[in-house]
Amino acid sequence: MTTEEVSGARDHPLVEELPGQIERRLLGRPASMGRREVSEGAGVEPVVARRFWHAMGFQNVDDEDAMFTEADLEALKRVARLIGDGEISEELALGMTRAFARTSDRLAVWQTQLVAESLTSPFSEELEGKDSRSVPEPRIAADAAELLANICDDIEPLLVYVWRRHLTNAIARMIADADPAVHSDPSAPIRVVGFADLVSFTSFVRRMSERQLARLVQRFELLASDVITEHGGRVIKTVGDEVLFVHTDAAAASAIALDLVDAMAEDELLPPVRVGLAHGRVVSRLGDVFGLTVNKASRITAVTPSGHVFVDEDMAKVLRSVSGFSATERRRRMLRGIGVVTLHELQRAPGGRGPALREIDARLPSKP
């Protein structure tokens, strides 16, 4: 796109008018109320309205700024009713609002990028090569905005359904962890923690465009998430070239680790991966996991050779009574912040790769 075309696109009425049009379609009536008006309409103190506005992840505004819509008023009314009826405390309501906000912010950004990329011609990227844009051009951004607004009402029930499904699973795990017959310390239940790390990722960063790199990371996240969830694991988070996952079962976690290695080795786009596993207690907070076991898994991954899976001593002990896998002792290593640890290499028993990985291969979209 030339300088003249960029300037023309920026001056196009679509660029200036579309955000307001999308806001009205997604939120209802245009923003017409100030914070004081919204707080009075919901029957709460302005300071309470301010706390919830911050909890939703939005910057502070002056009392009279017309920043709020009927949707904001209705949301605050719902929260006020929950607190007023004694169902939940204000502190709990704020905490749950923050949880929704942080998750929704990432979800919204993720979805807008996915839609914009789906509307971008692969041919145009080939022509642009190293100069590929990391953000869509104005026309693509406008088309993506229109598409998202058009399908919003259809995908909203799916969002609620998926949340209810995950909430059901989270409640089941919470109840199981609280069982004293299973966990002597429910505040820190036992898990297998795994880190999968793409090898030589830095070299890929140097020679790829922003868009190409984004697609590589997206491919890694997609493939890793499918492998992990196929075996009943939980993806805790992905950070560029690394994914953190947990599982309650040592055999399933072992299958995840080895399938990840196999999947990345067979993917033409992705570099090899290395995986580290540790078995022990973890502390779960705000959807994340913490503790010595998590740190140990991360340190083990850092010293694991490319295309291999190393595990700690506790994991190796558990695997002695698990069929289908072996853990061969390797040399002792000094891990920073952990101490001396005897590492074991995880391998699959004779019989080859399982059917799960082949099914994942068949489900994945064609490589970009």
Side-chain angles (χ1 to χ4, degrees), residues 286-308:
L286 301 177
D288 207 342
V289 290
F290 307 91
L292 179 63
T293 305
V294 179
N295 295 340
K296 186 187 293 186
S298 177
R299 299 287 185 249
I300 291 173
T301 305
V303 299
T304 298
S306 173
H308 292 260

Side-chain angles (χ1 to χ4, degrees), residues 198 219-220 223-224 227 259-268 270-273:
L198 289 175
R219 176 76 181 178
F220 171 59
L223 188 53
V227 170
D259 278 0
L260 284 172
V261 170
D262 290 345
M264 305 305 164
E266 296 178 8
D267 193 286
E268 297 176 358
L270 295 171
V273 73

Side-chain angles (χ1 to χ4, degrees), residues 89-103:
S89 65
E90 181 180 324
E91 182 180 359
L92 176 55
L94 284 167
M96 294 185 73
T97 301
R98 291 189 189 96
F100 274 124
R102 292 179 186 178
T103 306

Side-chain angles (χ1 to χ4, degrees), residues 22-167:
I22 296 299
E23 180 181 17
R24 287 190 291 273
R25 290 170 65 180
L26 295 182
L27 301 180
R29 297 178 183 175
S32 60
M33 293 179 286
R35 187 175 61 201
R36 187 177 302 278
E37 185 178 355
V38 169
S39 61
E40 290 176 354
V44 301
E45 294 295 327
V47 66
V48 175
R50 185 184 301 114
R51 291 194 193 109
F52 278 97
W53 186 246
H54 281 177
M56 285 190 286
F58 303 122
Q59 68 183 43
N60 197 13
V61 296
D62 293 333
D63 285 343
E64 305 308 322
D65 287 346
M67 291 287 295
F68 303 97
T69 69
E70 293 289 341
D72 295 308
L73 175 58
E74 182 59 32
L76 190 57
K77 282 182 177 180
R78 288 177 179 272
V79 174
R81 281 197 297 269
L82 284 172
I83 298 173
D85 293 342
E87 293 285 339
I88 59 176
S89 65
E90 181 180 324
E91 182 180 359
L92 176 55
L94 284 167
M96 294 185 73
T97 301
R98 291 189 189 96
F100 274 124
R102 292 179 186 178
T103 306
S104 298
D105 174 64
R106 186 173 186 228
L107 174 63
V109 172
W110 192 345
Q111 289 177 325
T112 55
Q113 290 173 343
L114 284 175
V115 172
E117 288 172 3
S118 73
L119 299 176
T120 302
S121 169
F123 179 69
S124 67
E125 181 174 345
E126 290 176 8
L127 292 177
E128 293 171 6
K130 280 287 185 178
D131 297 325
S132 293
R133 297 165 55 94
S134 59
V135 295
E137 57 188 56
R139 172 56 61 180
I140 294 295
D143 290 345
E146 289 282 359
L147 178 56
L148 283 162
N150 289 340
I151 66 175
C152 179
D153 289 341
D154 292 322
I155 63 176
E156 182 176 331
L158 175 62
L159 172 64
V160 175
Y161 164 76
V162 173
W163 171 69
R164 283 180 175 270
R165 272 288 187 180
H166 282 292
L167 183 61

